[in-house]
Amino acid sequence: MANLGILPHVIEATLNHISGHKGGVAGIYNRAAYEAEKTTALNRWAEHVAAIVEGRDSNVTPLRGVS
């Protein structure tokens, strides 16, 4: 997901991991569920996987700053 331009804290939220942005003190104050961001991340991932399985180029364009 990171290679598709998904931010690390959204990846963690999507995978239900508690570290980084949700670990420690930050987790106490940051109660965001990131629902919209997780939906976008999973849709981008689904398109990426479908393109691999179907042997075609993905229409997912990585966001700027991601190589």
Side-chain angles (χ1 to χ4, degrees), residues 1 4 6 9-11 13 15 20 22-23 30 33-34 36 40 42-43 46 48-49 51-52 55 57 59 64-65:
M1 285 184 168
L4 299 177
I6 307 301
H9 67 282
V10 176
I11 296 170
L15 298 174
K22 287 285 196 171
N30 182 359
Y34 300 109
T40 299
L42 289 171
N43 286 334
H48 177 71
V49 171
I52 292 170
D57 289 334
N59 68 0
R64 64 181 174 268

Side-chain angles (χ1 to χ4, degrees), residues 5-36:
I6 307 301
L7 297 174
H9 67 282
V10 176
I11 296 170
E12 288 183 355
T14 302
L15 298 174
N16 201 29
H17 288 182
I18 300 174
S19 65
H21 288 84
K22 287 285 196 171
V25 174
I28 299 298
Y29 296 104
N30 182 359
R31 298 293 186 176
Y34 300 109
E35 295 299 330

